[in-house]
Amino acid sequence: MIEVPRTQFLLSEEDVPTHWYNILADLEFPVPQEHKARLDTVSGTEEARLMAQIPLSMYRQSISLERFIEIPEPVRDEYRRWRPTPLYRAYRLEQLLDTPARIYYKYEGSSPAGSHKLNTALAQVYYYQKAGIRHLTTGTGAGQWGSALAMACQSFGLRCTVYMVRLSYAQKPYRRILMTLSDAEVISSPSERTRIGREMLCQHPDTDSSLAIANAEAIEHARTTEKCRFSIGSGENHVLLHQTVIGEEALHQMELTGDFPDVVISCMGAGSNFAGLAFPFYREKTRHGDMRLIAVEPEACPKMTRGRYTWDYNDFSGITPMTKMYTLGHTFISPGIHAGGLRYHGAAPIVSAMYHHGLIEAVAYPQRAVFEAGIAFAQSEKFVPAPESAHAIRCAIDEALRAREEGRSMVILFNVSGHGLMDLAAYESYLSGQMGDCVVADEQIAQSLARIPAEGE
Amino acid sequence: MIEVPRTQFLLSEEDVPTHWYNILADLEFPVPQEHKARLDTVSGTEEARLMAQIPLSMYRQSISLERFIEIPEPVRDEYRRWRPTPLYRAYRLEQLLDTPARIYYKYEGSSPAGSHKLNTALAQVYYYQKAGIRHLTTGTGAGQWGSALAMACQSFGLRCTVYMVRLSYAQKPYRRILMTLSDAEVISSPSERTRIGREMLCQHPDTDSSLAIANAEAIEHARTTEKCRFSIGSGENHVLLHQTVIGEEALHQMELTGDFPDVVISCMGAGSNFAGLAFPFYREKTRHGDMRLIAVEPEACPKMTRGRYTWDYNDFSGITPMTKMYTLGHTFISPGIHAGGLRYHGAAPIVSAMYHHGLIEAVAYPQRAVFEAGIAFAQSEKFVPAPESAHAIRCAIDEALRAREEGRSMVILFNVSGHGLMDLAAYESYLSGQMGDCVVADEQIAQSLARIPAEGE
């Protein structure tokens, strides 16, 4: 008889969290932010508010010091389509690694959009709709954010235009079609549709492009279109807030396991998936004095491990207000790794500040080590992870192997932020030996850092 | 405030059924079957048994008259990776259709293989492994069966070789890669690897091929390889049996809803997905005297609605024993519809006999009506259904619209046998107006029926 521990930790739809967790209430230092365009709107007219980037409701969330912020019922109702997501004991991965560690993972791949991105997309679209906006634009890397926003826009009846990074547009046609199925307009970026796109095509016709460029195009589109706004899928305080449903559920589910994590691991693009899982555990850190929170980034875009903590723009062309963050420079263009969602040059202000104050750790991996881990996970746990999520898996495996070497028990929790069913061409590239490690050179980072405007410092 | 009914009906891993349901115990007529090669083995030596197509354990299941057959613990353990699958109230689809019908669907797309096929793949591989087999071959249409068998083989340590219908091999590269990720060997069929493949390539070099041809190649491969057997993903009694976990769970979940279905709908390839959902409801038919069971097939392969109930081969070349079934003839080649899993020429013997005795209904739809329904479902319920499953959705929508016309309440249950995330190119083909209806002509069916050997009649 095989003895198998319980492997599924499921909640019911009644257990969808009623509140998001706002970590700003619990940080003992201020998070530097500069949102000039937005600050104006707080005291402004209704018209001024509507012209601003985000609705007042979301702006208030982004500066609130309330610990818990209620989730509007129409958003919770949408969450109940697929949330709470499962938490699994990675029992077969433990066996494969022959580790004394107990490994758990939260699985956001069961979302209809295939990733965690729908958590904030639905909230944002709800608030934009309430504010009278009829049309949203955005940029998307791997297409996970774009498909989530497209679905959310359809749920609340808004138009949606997505600028998709050229490399992903070519590599991931299925995600493009998924957006089209939600009636979104999908445009390969850089495009002829915007001034910044045309300039880019002229100066760098063969660029792989980047999320910063796609976002710049989407911002320009929104600025020149009526009742239209630019929506962003990561980085901003309110985005991190919306993702905390992941960690709130995971806290509840870890209670069912009887374990509490020694280490909490997520991949790191701009930081919303990391924040979503890690922040609620940070709040409960007194339950475990030595708990570690690890953000995992690609060596192709090592903003935390090799970037600088400074003021910088969020987009390629410098349209956006500057924020203080770990950055490789807003003109940095990451090598074309398959984890398109991690190719963003900067880290969220809150995550950056926490890293700066030593509250979290960061680690970077080359691409092939990441795919090796993704395949080990797929072959043992059977769910194919997104290349982004495979970064967290690589780190979790290394922690588990260290536990084996040191002969000690430990509890590992990581987030599988999305499934990799639309990234199978990337896995084939790895299996056929075509894939490179995509480690970025010091000189490229130095050059890009040098282009950060001095007035931001 | 929006009032939303409960939409998720989840069970816990303790609720994975302990037994499969064997409908042969409850049918009041014999199901004609002719398994000469297998009957020999019951009284044969151990060696003879190993040489036969299926292990004695599975053969006994296929002729058993026991009502319930225990699921081996290692198979249940594998089921617990993702089972029980969710049952959802299709509340948004109801709203879209403005119907008084209450619509529920069982969602098998949450399986790591993306469809219901893993239910029997794991059971079969377990029994083959116990019987000393080290290598399985199979044919696959859309790749759903192939990827399920590949995953199951990896779980139990068997080699796996999949002959994939050429059309799907080209249309669905992601499913091919998914099989490769499970270390399976995937071969486009017809191939140069087998005698039947070479003949086919010679006579019909441009054929779209069919599952019957791929199966014929896989059978030849198994017959010429040591400790190797051919495994089949649908049609056989034991396969239908293994799929009844779907309906057993759905019965349990429908109790949680407080409703009992007036109509139970599944798409129909050879019949295992239909049987899996419908058979347990058939057993409980006394709870609802007028409950209808509907099998939905494509107009491109209308074996039930336009085929003949007779003895025929299961494979293109006539290697397999003949079985009595609704068939379009074993040489029938269906037009290249995107629902590759429904392109099989025959229906399972049990399903055929039940249809012959008037216990179930069948309906056929042209391809575009099916995709229209799939998109309505994706846009309202958000999960993109496999083209196969969209057949069931088409029928469910039509039942719901009829309920609206007639102003009567009714309860509809259907099966979403798999997700369509690897079939998005098909959706794009529909959206771009490139898709045809693929209704097969009477003459083609007549010609194919004429090639059924007379001695079978």
Side-chain angles (χ1 to χ4, degrees), chain B residues 13-184:
Chain B
E13 66 187 299
E14 292 77 28
D15 298 317
V16 168
T18 55
H19 292 76
W20 293 303
Y21 166 58
N22 176 21
I23 199 170
L24 291 177
D26 288 327
L27 293 180
E28 287 164 8
F29 46 83
V31 174
Q33 304 221 30
E34 190 178 59
H35 285 306
K36 279 184 191 139
R38 293 167 195 181
L39 286 170
D40 292 346
T41 69
V42 180
S43 54
T45 62
E46 176 70 5
E47 195 184 3
R49 191 170 71 71
L50 284 177
M51 286 300 292
Q53 283 191 325
I54 63 173
L56 185 57
S57 48
M58 277 206 300
Y59 172 69
R60 283 189 175 139
Q61 289 180 352
S62 74
I63 57 163
S64 170
L65 293 179
E66 291 289 317
R67 182 167 285 111
F68 294 102
I69 293 175
E70 191 170 6
I71 304 174
E73 194 51 34
V75 175
R76 283 193 81 220
D77 175 40
E78 291 293 319
Y79 283 172
R80 277 192 291 261
R81 286 172 182 263
W82 81 99
R83 303 206 71 87
T85 58
L87 184 134
Y88 294 109
R89 171 90 180 262
Y91 171 68
R92 282 88 172 182
L93 181 62
E94 293 171 18
Q95 284 186 315
L96 179 74
L97 302 174
D98 189 23
T99 175
R102 293 191 295 289
I103 309 178
Y104 298 90
Y105 63 97
K106 181 74 169 162
Y107 187 61
E108 290 290 305
S110 60
S111 146
S115 81
H116 68 295
K117 293 288 189 184
L118 204 48
N119 299 328
T120 184
L122 288 163
Q124 289 190 43
V125 174
Y126 168 79
Y127 288 120
Y128 277 112
Q129 187 220 36
K130 292 261 288 184
I133 300 302
R134 305 302 308 148
H135 181 179
L136 291 177
T137 68
T138 197
T140 195
Q144 286 165 331
W145 167 241
S147 46
L149 190 69
M151 281 189 183
C153 279
Q154 198 186 44
S155 287
F156 288 104
L158 270 68
R159 276 191 63 188
C160 184
T161 303
V162 181
Y163 287 85
M164 188 172 186
V165 172
R166 174 194 278 178
L167 181 75
S168 297
Y169 190 90
Q171 274 181 350
K172 301 177 199 290
Y174 280 20
R175 274 205 229 273
R176 170 177 58 73
I177 302 169
L178 191 60
M179 291 184 250
T180 310
L181 260 187
S182 298
D183 288 339

Side-chain angles (χ1 to χ4, degrees), chain A residues 18-19 30 60 100-101 120 137 142 145 181 185 198 204 266 290 309 324 355 376 402 430:
Chain A
T18 55
H19 292 75
R60 283 190 174 137
T120 185
T137 67
W145 167 241
L181 259 188
E185 179 186 26
R198 289 187 294 271
H204 307 280
S266 272
D290 293 328
Y309 188 48
K324 190 155 186 188
Y355 185 56
R402 200 168 302 128
Y430 174 84

Side-chain angles (χ1 to χ4, degrees), chain A residues 167 171 208 300 333-339 343 367 438:
Chain A
L167 181 76
Q171 273 181 351
D208 279 342
I333 295 185
S334 161
I337 56 170
H338 291 275
R343 292 179 67 235
Q367 184 166 234
C438 293

Side-chain angles (χ1 to χ4, degrees), chain B residues 204-277:
Chain B
H204 308 280
D206 297 323
T207 179
D208 280 343
S209 194
S210 75
L211 185 55
I213 295 168
N215 280 344
E217 287 203 85
I219 289 166
E220 184 184 327
H221 186 136
R223 290 203 167 177
T224 54
T225 308
E226 206 184 352
K227 292 192 179 181
C228 182
R229 291 291 177 278
F230 166 71
S231 169
I232 194 159
S234 192
E236 304 284 307
N237 291 7
H238 61 275
V239 178
L240 273 52
L241 176 80
H242 300 154
Q243 292 295 355
T244 58
V245 288
I246 302 171
E248 292 298 331
E249 290 176 7
L251 270 173
H252 188 162
Q253 288 163 313
M254 286 305 297
E255 274 168 24
L256 302 179
T257 71
D259 279 329
F260 195 83
D262 295 295
V263 56
V264 176
I265 303 167
S266 272
C267 66
M268 178 78 198
S272 76
N273 140 67
F274 170 77
L277 180 65

Side-chain angles (χ1 to χ4, degrees), chain A residues 1-2 4-14 16 73-74 77-84 88 91-92 110-114 150-152 154-155 171-178 180-183 375 378-384 419 421-425 427-428 431, chain B residues 1-2 4-14 16 73-74 77-84 88 91-92 110-114 150-152 154-155 171-178 180-183 375 378-384 419 421-425 427-428 431:
Chain A
M1 208 61 179
I2 303 169
V4 180
R6 190 168 160 199
T7 54
Q8 297 181 7
F9 299 89
L10 306 181
L11 303 174
S12 72
E13 65 187 299
E14 292 78 28
V16 168
E73 194 51 34
D77 175 40
E78 291 293 321
Y79 284 172
R80 276 191 290 262
R81 286 170 182 267
W82 81 101
R83 303 206 71 86
Y88 294 109
Y91 171 68
R92 282 88 171 182
S110 60
S111 147
M151 279 187 185
Q154 197 184 47
S155 286
Q171 273 181 351
K172 301 176 199 291
Y174 280 20
R175 273 203 230 274
R176 171 178 56 74
I177 302 169
L178 191 60
T180 310
L181 259 188
S182 298
D183 288 338
I375 289 171
Q379 293 196 341
S380 53
E381 295 297 317
K382 299 301 182 196
F383 293 104
V384 181
H419 66 65
L421 295 178
M422 296 190 187
D423 306 285
L424 285 167
Y427 281 94
E428 186 168 53
L431 290 171
Chain B
M1 208 62 182
I2 303 170
V4 180
R6 190 169 161 199
T7 54
Q8 297 181 8
F9 299 88
L10 306 181
L11 303 174
S12 72
E13 66 187 299
E14 292 77 28
V16 168
E73 194 51 34
D77 175 40
E78 291 293 319
Y79 283 172
R80 277 192 291 261
R81 286 172 182 263
W82 81 99
R83 303 206 71 87
Y88 294 109
Y91 171 68
R92 282 88 172 182
S110 60
S111 146
M151 281 189 183
Q154 198 186 44
S155 287
Q171 274 181 350
K172 301 177 199 290
Y174 280 20
R175 274 205 229 273
R176 170 177 58 73
I177 302 169
L178 191 60
T180 310
L181 260 187
S182 298
D183 288 339
I375 289 172
Q379 293 196 342
S380 53
E381 295 296 317
K382 299 300 182 197
F383 293 104
V384 181
H419 66 66
L421 295 178
M422 297 190 185
D423 306 285
L424 285 167
Y427 281 94
E428 186 168 53
L431 290 172

Side-chain angles (χ1 to χ4, degrees), chain A residues 201-450:
Chain A
L201 285 171
C202 185
Q203 289 166 28
H204 307 280
D206 296 324
T207 179
D208 279 342
S209 194
S210 75
L211 185 54
I213 296 167
N215 281 345
E217 288 203 82
I219 290 166
E220 185 184 325
H221 187 137
R223 291 203 166 177
T224 55
T225 307
E226 205 186 355
K227 292 193 179 180
C228 183
R229 291 293 177 277
F230 166 71
S231 168
I232 194 159
S234 192
E236 305 284 308
N237 292 7
H238 60 275
V239 179
L240 273 51
L241 176 80
H242 300 154
Q243 292 295 354
T244 57
V245 288
I246 302 171
E248 292 298 331
E249 289 176 6
L251 270 173
H252 188 162
Q253 288 163 313
M254 286 305 297
E255 274 168 24
L256 302 178
T257 71
D259 278 329
F260 195 82
D262 297 296
V263 57
V264 176
I265 303 167
S266 272
C267 66
M268 178 78 196
S272 76
N273 139 66
F274 171 77
L277 180 65
F279 285 5
F281 283 89
Y282 175 82
R283 183 184 74 231
E284 304 297 324
K285 63 185 182 302
T286 53
R287 294 200 210 173
H288 186 321
D290 293 328
M291 183 181 59
R292 298 156 59 210
L293 307 174
I294 308 180
V296 189
E297 54 187 20
E299 278 287 10
C301 195
K303 65 213 79 169
M304 307 264 280
T305 51
R306 294 166 69 196
R308 184 188 299 167
Y309 188 48
T310 186
W311 294 94
D312 195 8
Y313 294 110
N314 288 295
D315 69 308
F316 185 81
S317 55
I319 297 175
T320 50
M322 299 180 92
T323 47
K324 190 155 186 188
M325 57 183 176
Y326 277 90
T327 178
L328 295 162
H330 64 286
T331 59
F332 178 83
I333 295 185
S334 161
I337 56 170
H338 291 275
L342 306 185
R343 292 179 67 235
Y344 186 64
H345 68 279
I350 298 178
V351 175
S352 294
M354 289 176 76
Y355 185 56
H356 183 67
H357 284 84
L359 301 182
I360 60 178
E361 301 172 29
V363 62
Y365 286 105
Q367 184 166 234
R368 281 184 292 193
V370 166
F371 274 84
E372 183 192 45
I375 289 171
F377 183 83
Q379 293 196 341
S380 53
E381 295 297 317
K382 299 301 182 196
F383 293 104
V384 181
E388 291 82 0
S389 313
H391 286 74
I393 295 167
R394 173 77 267 170
C395 179
I397 287 176
D398 285 359
E399 290 287 330
L401 292 176
R402 200 168 302 128
R404 182 178 73 182
E405 274 170 34
E406 298 171 4
R408 64 185 162 85
S409 171
M410 74 181 293
V411 176
I412 299 169
L413 169 65
F414 64 94
N415 194 25
V416 176
S417 54
H419 66 65
L421 295 178
M422 296 190 187
D423 306 285
L424 285 167
Y427 281 94
E428 186 168 53
S429 163
Y430 174 84
L431 290 171
S432 64
Q434 308 281 305
M435 183 178 283
D437 268 343
C438 293
V439 179
V440 74
D442 287 333
E443 307 81 65
Q444 187 189 342
I445 293 177
Q447 284 168 15
S448 169
L449 288 176

